[in-house]
């Protein structure tokens, strides 16, 4: 009855959110910005609900890329979350970002960000080389074209990265609907950002009353 150690749990990983900024989003074409923002909200919300160590890093925030998505600010406000701004494209090559990731003490790392082929491939392959187990939330990533995104995912998977989706990430952390301490927060998150699934939860909760 023991769950696989290959599964993600609230206490066995850290989440790194990379370069979810306006300038990066403007050129993202592999997915719609609406869908991207929704999946970012689910990802950030999930990590907040389950108290996952989460690092938010930006690139040239003041001089080029701009502020982070409102969906990240909602769960991790800049004033209290200590965003790490970089000049390097590869988060792993930035001293403060690298030290923050290492300081979590987690051997499983979950990554999401823009763009897939640059800002995710770099730290994913670098972390693998140092012995980390790496997951990428593929639908909370995007690139300048579908080709760029898909080739990046393919390259990382071939190297050993494990792809997951935003909803999969959330539900893997919840795992059991009998976990009442997070049930309401998880279903509220999905009601707000879960599209048809969220409407289904809202419908079910309403109909149970009758």
């Amino acid at each position: 009855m023991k769950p696989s150690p290959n599964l993600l749990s609230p206490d066995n990983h850290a989440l790194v959110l990379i370069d979810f900024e306006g300038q990066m989003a403007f050129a993202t074409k592999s997915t719609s910005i609406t869908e991207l923002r929704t999946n970012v909200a689910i990802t950030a919300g999930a990590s907040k609900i389950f108290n996952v160590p989460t690092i938010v890093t930006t690139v040239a925030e003041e001089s080029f890329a701009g502020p982070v998505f409102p969906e990240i600010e909602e769960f991790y406000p800049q004033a209290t979350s200590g965003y790490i701004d970089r000049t390097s494209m590869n988060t792993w090559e930035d001293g403060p970002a690298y030290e923050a990731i290492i300081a979590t003490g987690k051997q499983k790392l979950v990554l999401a960000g823009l763009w897939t082929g640059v800002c995710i491939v770099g730290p994913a392959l670098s972390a693998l080389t140092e012995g980390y187990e790496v997951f990428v939330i593929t639908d909370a990533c995007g690139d300048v074209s579908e080709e760029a995104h898909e080739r990046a995912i393919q390259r990382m998977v071939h190297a050993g990265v494990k792809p997951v989706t935003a909803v999969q990430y959330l539900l893997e952390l919840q795992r059991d609907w009998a976990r009442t301490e997070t049930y309401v927060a998880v279903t509220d998150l999905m009601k707000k950002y879960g599209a048809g699934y969220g409407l289904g939860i809202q419908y079910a909760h309403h109909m149970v009353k009758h």
Side-chain angles (χ1 to χ4, degrees):
M1 294 290 289
K2 290 185 178 180
S4 168
N6 293 318
L7 292 170
L8 292 167
S9 65
D11 60 357
N12 74 357
H13 74 284
L15 174 68
V16 187
L17 300 174
I18 302 172
D19 302 350
F20 284 113
E21 300 168 272
Q23 186 64 38
M24 309 303 292
F26 298 154
T28 296
K29 304 299 181 186
S30 61
T31 185
S32 73
I33 297 303
T34 299
E35 186 172 355
L36 177 65
R37 291 179 65 179
T38 294
N39 292 329
V40 170
I42 292 170
T43 299
S47 72
K48 189 69 173 181
I49 291 168
F50 291 97
N51 297 311
V52 173
T54 299
I55 295 157
V56 180
T57 182
T58 57
V59 63
E61 179 183 358
E62 295 297 327
S63 61
F64 177 72
V68 302
F69 289 11
E71 291 77 13
I72 291 180
E73 273 275 359
E74 176 182 352
F75 299 103
Y76 294 100
Q78 185 168 18
T80 57
S81 299
Y83 299 172
I84 301 170
D85 196 49
R86 316 179 322 278
T87 59
S88 65
M89 297 182 205
N90 182 1
T91 295
W92 210 256
E93 295 180 56
D94 179 83
Y98 177 80
E99 292 299 328
I101 294 169
I102 299 305
T104 67
K106 308 298 182 182
Q107 284 300 304
K108 295 182 192 291
L109 300 177
V110 179
L111 310 179
L114 303 175
W115 296 318
T116 322
V118 181
C119 302
I120 300 302
V121 164
L125 298 186
S126 300
L128 283 174
T129 299
E130 293 196 23
Y132 289 85
E133 187 176 357
V134 181
F135 298 74
V136 170
I137 303 179
T138 57
D139 61 354
C141 295
D143 213 318
V144 296
S145 68
E146 289 185 22
E147 177 79 7
H149 175 75
E150 292 301 328
R151 294 297 76 74
I153 297 299
Q154 188 177 38
R155 179 183 179 188
M156 289 188 287
V157 168
H158 280 314
V161 168
K162 299 172 175 63
V164 295
T165 67
V167 172
Q168 181 183 357
Y169 177 62
L170 172 68
L171 298 184
E172 197 160 315
L173 297 185
Q174 176 65 25
R175 199 86 59 80
D176 187 342
W177 292 120
R179 293 177 177 171
T180 55
E181 64 273 16
T182 52
Y183 174 85
V184 172
V186 167
T187 54
D188 282 351
L189 180 69
M190 293 311 295
K191 284 178 187 178
K192 183 174 182 180
Y193 291 111
Y197 178 39
L199 286 176
I201 295 172
Q202 180 190 34
Y203 175 87
H205 285 176
H206 176 81
M207 296 308 290
V208 162
K209 296 177 183 178
H210 298 282

